[in-house]
Amino acid sequence: MADTQPRVVSGLELWQWRCQAIQAAIATDVSVAEVDWLLQEVAGLDRLVLRLESFKNWQEIQLKLPLKDLEKLWQRRLHDRLPVQYIAGVTPWRQFKIAVSNAVLIPRPETESLIDLAVASALNEAIPPLQQGHWVDLGTGSGAIALGLANVFPEATIHAVDYSFEALAIAAANAQNLGFADRIQFYQGSWWEPLTPLKGQFSGIVSNPPYIPTSTLPTLQPEVIRHEPHLALDGGADGLDCIRHLIATSADYLRPGGVWLIEMMAGQADTVRELLQNQGSYSNIQIYSDLAGIERFALAYINPR
Ligand code: GLN
């Protein structure tokens, strides 16, 4: 983005931009709420000021990018279906503001429940308690799950793995900015591979792996399929390649009684339950729904030895 351009606009200019951005959103079937959310992020305006339009009379408003660039990106939102979170460079997730770029999947609201399920799962009796020791987020992307785990398990060491160096850079920056840099260790690699020295020691693994069947990818919203990383979405022919891998490998890394917890897609629960049962190392298998009522999460414990 051209740094020479002014990032200060008058309230009137921004008000005018907002009016036409809202009209354009209506015309292209984009939620008008995105305009004000984007203005909160790039202009630092709060919701009340936006609703009352009181900023219209302000002399100067400082933007995070030149208005021309904002307009160009907004046009890409409307016509190229660029997700608004990639324009703002952030997304809200649990209590965090998480930085995102198109190198990482935008953390979804439903994924927030994984952290609550991890907390509940760790109430199971174990010595030492499951809230302690090593927890891992495999396929961390933006780092959201690792950050959530670090927050709810203050006594645990959190590990986060991703195959993408670009994603890891964003995850590490998020950990730094949100004050969790000393709590989370990041590794580049494939699933458990970088963690072989800690075999048999993990209290829990939490993952939102790619789980969309390859043939379904083209049917996803254009925002997703055109802009989000396919590495984070494509789960192979039936969508279960990564979940199968996580079922097969996690038994070697979890300690007796350790927690296995993943997100999946609508329609996969029965197969995932069966895969867990057939593997032989897991017990107390449970399926949980998300707030939309979709069977979305699978939880199991490694058999005690
Ligand atoms: N939930 C994401 C979506 O709706 C997919 C995430 C994933 O594959 N893990 O596109």
Side-chain angles (χ1 to χ4, degrees):
M1 257 155 240
D3 260 49
T4 47
Q5 299 213 31
R7 292 170 190 220
V8 175
V9 290
S10 70
L12 187 61
E13 266 179 292
L14 196 60
W15 180 83
Q16 283 164 342
W17 184 81
R18 177 177 179 264
C19 291
Q20 58 87 22
I22 287 171
Q23 288 313 312
I26 293 167
T28 50
D29 249 333
V30 164
S31 162
V32 296
E34 290 190 13
V35 176
D36 281 358
W37 182 76
L38 187 58
L39 286 175
Q40 289 175 55
E41 293 304 327
V42 305
L45 301 177
D46 68 36
R47 282 195 290 192
L48 185 63
V49 157
L50 284 160
R51 176 184 287 233
L52 300 178
E53 303 186 4
S54 48
F55 66 96
K56 187 178 173 182
N57 307 318
W58 294 3
Q59 291 285 313
E60 287 193 345
I61 296 171
Q62 179 78 39
L63 302 181
K64 284 192 184 146
L65 73 177
L67 189 57
K68 264 192 182 159
D69 293 344
L70 179 62
E71 172 56 17
K72 266 188 212 147
L73 289 166
W74 186 247
Q75 288 302 317
R76 289 193 60 204
R77 169 71 195 101
L78 303 178
H79 302 294
D80 193 17
R81 298 280 141 175
L82 179 68
V84 71
Q85 297 93 331
Y86 288 151
I87 302 179
V90 290
T91 196
W93 194 81
R94 290 184 71 91
Q95 74 269 49
F96 305 121
K97 190 182 271 196
I98 292 188
V100 292
S101 79
N102 63 2
V104 299
L105 197 78
I106 299 161
R108 308 285 199 264
E110 59 267 31
T111 306
E112 296 181 6
S113 301
L114 270 178
I115 306 303
D116 301 312
L117 288 171
V119 170
S121 74
L123 297 175
N124 247 23
E125 294 245 326
I127 301 168
L130 288 167
Q131 295 90 341
Q132 300 175 4
H134 301 284
W135 281 77
V136 67
D137 170 13
L138 294 184
T140 194
S142 64
I145 293 171
L147 290 159
L149 292 174
N151 180 243
V152 294
F153 295 143
E155 292 176 69
T157 303
I158 312 299
H159 305 265
V161 179
D162 207 281
Y163 194 73
S164 157
F165 285 102
E166 260 187 292
L168 283 169
I170 289 169
N174 277 320
Q176 186 68 45
N177 294 335
L178 295 166
F180 291 99
D182 58 343
R183 298 282 321 286
I184 307 173
Q185 296 181 37
F186 293 97
Y187 309 79
Q188 191 277 330
S190 178
W191 305 116
W192 285 105
E193 173 203 70
L195 299 167
T196 33
L198 291 170
K199 266 191 179 180
Q201 294 186 42
F202 283 84
S203 298
I205 175 234
V206 184
S207 180
N208 174 18
Y211 52 62
I212 313 277
T214 308
S215 59
T216 304
L217 287 175
T219 70
L220 298 177
Q221 293 171 315
E223 282 81 357
V224 178
I225 196 59
R226 286 194 211 161
H227 299 285
E228 301 204 70
H230 291 196
L231 182 67
L233 296 167
D234 190 346
D238 65 353
L240 292 169
D241 283 2
C242 304
I243 292 177
R244 261 190 298 270
H245 178 80
L246 291 176
I247 291 172
T249 53
S250 297
D252 286 341
Y253 287 83
L254 289 165
R255 68 180 176 93
V259 175
W260 186 92
L261 172 60
I262 59 117
E263 181 177 315
M264 64 196 162
M265 172 170 126
Q268 293 177 333
D270 290 346
T271 312
V272 170
R273 178 195 290 278
E274 211 174 286
L275 289 166
L276 283 162
Q277 272 161 358
N278 293 345
Q279 207 279 338
S281 308
Y282 301 89
S283 49
N284 204 352
I285 300 161
Q286 292 161 56
I287 305 295
Y288 292 96
S289 296
D290 64 19
L291 294 176
I294 296 167
E295 291 183 320
R296 176 69 70 191
F297 311 104
L299 171 67
Y301 294 87
I302 289 290
N303 295 328
R305 243 167 233 144

